[in-house]
Amino acid sequence: MRPTRRLLWAALIALGVTLVLLPFSTDDGSLLAMPWLVLGSILVLDLAGSVRRRRRLELEGPSAIFAGQTAEFRLHIQPDAPGGLIAHFDWPEGIRGPADLSADAGETVLDLKLEGCVRGDWPLGHVWLNWPSRFGLFDFIPRAALSHSVTVMPDIRPVTQGQIDLAVHTSLHGQKESFAEGEGSEFHQLREYVPGDSLRRVDWKRSARQRRMLSKETRAERNHNIIIALDHGYLMRETIAGLPKIDHAINAALATAWAAAVGGDQVGLYTYHARPHSWMPPEPGRQIFPKLRRALAGLSYESAESNPTLALATLQTRLRRRSLVIIFSDFVDTTTSELMVEHLGRLSRDHLVIFIALRDPETEDMARVPVPSLDAAAEAVSAADLLRDRRIVIERLGQLGVMVLDVRPDQLTPRLVSTYLDLKAREVA
């Protein structure tokens, strides 16, 4: 509880009245005490009419949300809220929500939305309440505990909602596979020749035996190795589009791992920062997916600079057969990325490499918008230099045979899954 400005003004008024009455005061001073007795009586009445039993808060909502997801919560107030109640929140690092909420007199439930920003378990802590007394002479500011925690997990909504399954089955088991030439090397079945079929599909030996034209149907070969390599050094901690780069990478990696699981391929995981961190040998996707999810949910946010030279050299020694290697990493300029480009080129000689480069929308906008001042012009020049260096590195990677996906965060998952499906259907991987 603390006094308000209204109480300060009341005390100043009482002091002014005392000064006015000073020439008329008697020896006992009772006349001078009258303003203060009145003020004291008002204070007692204000407190007596305002103090109530301690309020309890209870937060109702999901205990786990996906990174980047906004979830609905309800804050229950017991007993009901007094007039002018304001709840001030101090959310943990991994949760984003409103700084404060106001309630009308008599309300018992407040609705609020919380967004998961950083993976991990986040206790929601305390809430500071603030409401005025009946006459507005005091502010009550008790602290209430929220006995609720929220776990922020990697976003697998494309998996749980069936989007990945639909895309894989459509691409690998639909009409496209049956009729498009060169859509697989694994024999599937024989069928009657249909006018318009390529003569390359005709099985001449069996056609001669059966004395009728037969065409071969093929399907994409399964059991490819898909290696997901994740850099979680300090450059990947940068927040773009509301999430750290590493979380965008994890969300896309899990979606691609599930697509590989549905497509019958094997998936492995490799993580690194200043040194190699973890390695999961390739296993069938459906078996390894729960392990991947647990491992990536607990992947740390490192402050150390990554060492791509050591990481890529170590990865190359662990790959025993040709694989599709999907690398999520970042770079600053052409100079610091020189060794990374060299080792990616070596890796691409024996494996198919996809390098994921996340574009920062803010940097791109900064380089394009008109500049109203010299400071803005300096920022625009710096942003343009970064984008130019980025284009140079991406072009060099392309020349070395590395496939680069240079995409915005919201485009990453669909682009990566569709690229994987296209490579699989064409039997490139």
Side-chain angles (χ1 to χ4, degrees), residues 4-248:
T4 63
R5 289 185 176 182
R6 183 174 294 183
L7 177 56
L8 177 61
W9 281 109
L12 290 175
I13 291 172
L15 179 61
V17 173
T18 302
L19 294 176
V20 171
L21 295 177
L22 186 61
F24 309 100
S25 63
T26 58
D27 293 338
D28 58 2
S30 58
L31 186 62
L32 297 180
M34 287 299 296
W36 301 103
L37 290 174
V38 173
L39 179 59
S41 300
I42 295 175
L43 293 178
V44 171
L45 290 173
D46 190 20
L47 291 174
S50 303
V51 174
R52 301 180 182 180
R53 63 187 175 93
R54 188 176 183 85
R55 282 175 168 77
R56 292 187 301 107
L57 299 182
E58 181 179 347
L59 191 65
E60 176 190 356
S63 59
I65 59 178
F66 296 127
Q69 177 190 9
T70 300
E72 301 280 348
F73 287 79
R74 306 187 79 188
L75 183 65
H76 296 268
I77 306 172
Q78 298 176 349
D80 56 356
L85 174 69
I86 300 177
H88 300 277
F89 300 94
D90 185 15
W91 302 114
E93 177 189 1
I95 302 294
R96 182 183 296 122
D100 51 63
L101 285 177
S102 57
D104 297 327
E107 278 194 280
T108 58
V109 178
L110 299 178
D111 295 324
L112 68 156
K113 295 181 179 180
L114 299 183
E115 180 184 0
C117 301
V118 178
R119 286 172 290 105
D121 297 322
W122 303 103
L124 297 186
H126 298 86
V127 179
W128 291 95
L129 300 178
N130 187 340
W131 73 87
S133 61
R134 184 178 296 273
F135 299 150
L137 300 177
F138 296 96
D139 279 338
F140 296 97
I141 48 173
R143 189 179 71 166
L146 288 177
S147 56
H148 194 91
S149 64
V150 175
T151 301
V152 181
M153 306 180 301
D155 189 356
I156 58 169
R157 280 177 289 180
V159 173
T160 58
Q161 294 171 1
Q163 300 173 14
I164 302 299
D165 299 71
L166 178 62
V168 174
H169 288 302
T170 300
S171 175
L172 300 183
H173 306 292
Q175 292 183 351
K176 176 182 177 182
E177 181 189 22
S178 299
F179 297 101
E181 188 172 328
E183 289 296 327
S185 60
E186 183 177 312
F187 176 77
H188 180 46
Q189 65 181 5
L190 289 173
R191 61 172 174 79
E192 291 283 351
Y193 174 82
V194 176
D197 282 354
S198 171
L199 293 179
R200 294 182 180 180
R201 290 183 174 273
V202 176
D203 189 326
W204 297 106
K205 290 184 179 180
R206 288 184 176 88
S207 297
R209 292 194 193 107
Q210 297 291 330
R211 295 184 179 181
R212 57 196 178 104
M213 295 286 283
L214 297 175
S215 293
K216 290 184 293 188
E217 281 189 358
T218 59
R219 60 186 176 187
E221 183 183 354
R222 295 175 176 237
N223 297 321
H224 293 294
N225 274 358
I226 313 298
I227 306 299
I228 295 172
L230 275 166
D231 171 8
H232 57 117
Y234 84 97
L235 286 178
M236 296 295 284
R237 296 184 61 173
E238 179 188 359
T239 299
I240 57 175
L243 283 178
K245 287 184 177 180
I246 184 62
D247 285 316
H248 290 295

Side-chain angles (χ1 to χ4, degrees), residues 223-227 266 282 318-325 346-353 401 423 427-429:
N223 297 321
H224 293 294
N225 274 358
I226 313 298
I227 306 299
Q266 300 186 110
R318 288 176 172 171
L319 298 178
R320 303 302 181 189
R321 55 177 284 196
R322 179 173 172 81
S323 305
L324 170 60
V325 183
R346 291 178 183 174
L347 188 64
S348 66
R349 295 171 191 168
D350 301 317
H351 308 277
L352 179 60
V353 179
L423 293 175
E427 297 255 343
V428 177

